[in-house]
Every structure is written in structure tokens, then in C-alpha cells.
Amino acid sequence: PAYIRWPATITPGSTIDQTASHLDWFPTILDIAGIDVRQDVKLRGRSILPLLRAESPEWPEDFFAEYQMPVDRSEGADMRSYQTRRWKLVRYLRNRRVDEFYDRLNDPDERVNLIDSADAEVREAIDQLDAGLTAKMREIAAQ
């Protein structure tokens, strides 16, 4: 969550439902300042200025995240996450933790891990998010 006050641009009390990340702040600040980024510069974020102005840009509903933290010398939290408005998949890459899968609409506090569910809808969603996660990891590796 973030709060932004910009009376000339943002309608007081407005809310943005689209997902943005800390990677979006730098491109947003450049956009606000009117600074064009050269084509050879790689930025992973995108400007949220159109969202702040209450425009209706094409904005992806899916979100990829990666997190690394050493726990000790042998293993640590090395995970990737892919989520949509409804579902969230977390894959642990280096350690023996159990992967996670949550229904974000019905379990917003992420208390019930559905990764081992036999429900067909859940299994299909896990497969779809796993494909999205793999595609995003390949895209980032290619950059």
C-alpha cells in the first residue's frame, strides 16, 4: 500500500486497485519529471502516472515477484511468486520448504495453503500460474 497526495493530479480519496511494485517508482518519477528513458536502458518497472491520473491504461492483472534472503550458509529463502487477482503461487527454489498456493479472494490472509488440493479448479489454476511464473523467469533471464 502507498499513499500519494498530489492535489493537482490525484482526486482526493481515490483508490487504485491495480498492482504496482517498488520497481515502478523510478519510471514514475522520470515520467512525472518529463524525462525520456533511452531505448538501451532497461527498466523493469513501468510508470504508474496514468493510473494516478485516473486514465484507463492497459495494465496487467498478474504480478511476478522474487525474494532472496540467506537464512544460514547452506540454504535460504529463495523464492518466486506469481499472482493474479484471485490466485497466488509461491515456489521455493533452493530450500526444502513446501510451495504455497492461495485463493486471494476467499483467503486474503493466506492462511490455507492449497498446494496439495485435489480440487480440479485449484489444480488448473496452479498449472496456469506455474506456466506464467516460468515464462516470467525466462523473460527476465533473457534481458
Side-chain angles (χ1 to χ4, degrees):
Y3 291 95
I4 302 171
R5 183 176 185 277
W6 191 4
T9 303
I10 301 172
T11 304
S14 60
T15 301
I16 296 172
D17 291 327
Q18 291 86 349
T19 300
S21 84
H22 67 283
L23 296 174
D24 298 322
W25 287 116
F26 187 60
T28 301
I29 292 168
L30 291 175
D31 196 12
I32 290 169
I35 299 171
D36 292 325
V37 179
R38 294 189 334 248
Q39 292 295 326
D40 63 324
V41 174
K42 294 179 183 173
L43 293 177
R44 289 211 174 135
R46 61 190 282 187
S47 174
I48 65 168
L49 187 56
L51 298 176
L52 296 175
R53 289 183 171 152
E55 298 169 1
S56 298
E58 288 290 322
W59 200 266
E61 287 194 23
D62 58 338
F63 181 76
F64 170 81
E66 55 186 321
Y67 180 77
Q68 292 176 289
M69 180 183 79
V71 174
D72 60 35
R73 293 181 183 180
S74 63
E75 63 181 55
D78 186 1
M79 56 188 174
R80 305 296 180 267
S81 174
Y82 196 78
Q83 65 186 34
T84 62
R85 209 172 273 283
R86 175 158 187 202
W87 305 106
K88 179 178 181 181
L89 173 67
V90 180
R91 294 281 191 210
Y92 291 86
L93 303 181
R94 279 193 312 163
N95 57 27
R96 294 182 261 277
R97 293 186 184 197
V98 176
D99 291 339
E100 301 171 33
F101 190 74
Y102 300 102
D103 182 338
R104 298 177 66 224
L105 295 181
N106 296 307
D107 180 19
D109 295 329
E110 299 178 2
R111 295 179 187 263
V112 179
N113 186 356
L114 301 172
I115 197 71
D116 293 323
S117 173
D119 181 81
E121 179 185 23
V122 171
R123 298 303 327 154
E124 182 180 339
I126 290 172
D127 290 344
Q128 289 174 352
L129 268 70
D130 191 56
L133 178 73
T134 301
K136 194 61 157 175
M137 288 174 65
R138 285 186 181 136
E139 175 187 326
I140 289 171
Q143 292 180 354

